[in-house]
Amino acid sequence: MTNDITSVGGGSGPEAGVSALKGRTGAGAPAETRGKTTIADAVVAKIAGMAAREVPGIYSLGAGMARAFGAMRERVPGAGGGAVTRGVKVEVGERQAAVDLDVVVEYGVSIVDVAGDVRTGVISALERMTGLEVVEVNIAVDDVHLPDEEEEAQPDEGRVR
């Protein structure tokens, strides 16, 4: 009897936001199905963020305010870590996941083609790495990065020479 179950810890318990993949147990069960594997929502968001960033034509992820706060947060020592998931929201169910992305595309690319490539990449990466079925990837294009728009560069020089 095979018992492949994916479940999400609910409410405010210690397992909230975590999906669990549980296999068949017992001496007769194959080794790969003995025990439980949990995948946190943050892991799903990181995978989706990395897959989206790998698509040519994507400049960055995150809406305007999220990018501004993220840029400030990255400059504060010890406060980083959220850059990969900036602009990524996920909902993880028992066997399925849904992803919402806020993206900025490069000027001159076909937004329709880039969005299709992002969907393909995110779905492929998530389904391959987590085993969850991705039911939708919603993409909001928040901005177009123009070639002459350069981020304000902070000098890399220290105060002391």
Side-chain angles (χ1 to χ4, degrees):
M1 171 178 198
T2 303
N3 195 18
D4 293 328
I5 299 173
T6 306
S7 62
V8 176
S12 60
E15 294 184 16
V18 175
S19 66
L21 305 174
K22 184 177 180 182
R24 188 172 65 163
T25 59
E32 65 272 8
T33 63
R34 295 183 193 181
K36 179 173 82 170
T37 302
T38 58
I39 302 170
D41 289 3
V43 172
V44 175
K46 281 186 178 183
I47 294 168
M50 290 299 296
R53 282 178 173 77
E54 291 175 355
V55 174
I58 294 293
Y59 176 73
S60 68
L61 270 65
M65 289 303 290
R67 288 195 325 268
F69 285 126
M72 289 190 312
R73 187 172 43 246
E74 288 171 5
R75 289 187 178 103
V76 176
V84 175
T85 59
R86 184 182 331 129
V88 181
K89 296 179 195 78
V90 298
E91 292 180 35
V92 181
E94 290 185 8
R95 294 186 183 269
Q96 300 175 328
V99 180
D100 294 326
L101 299 170
D102 292 321
V103 300
V104 177
V105 297
E106 293 283 354
Y107 176 78
V109 300
S110 167
I111 294 173
V112 173
D113 291 344
V114 169
D117 292 345
V118 168
R119 279 190 186 90
T120 301
V122 168
I123 290 169
S124 174
L126 283 175
E127 289 183 348
R128 178 177 43 86
M129 294 177 74
T130 67
L132 295 168
E133 176 191 3
V134 180
V135 294
E136 64 182 15
V137 176
N138 299 313
I139 300 171
V141 179
D142 293 317
D143 200 359
V144 174
H145 178 258
L146 301 175
D148 58 347
E149 287 181 346
E150 293 301 319
E151 302 292 326
E152 290 183 21
Q154 294 289 332
D156 290 329
E157 302 173 12
R159 295 186 302 175
V160 180
R161 289 187 190 215

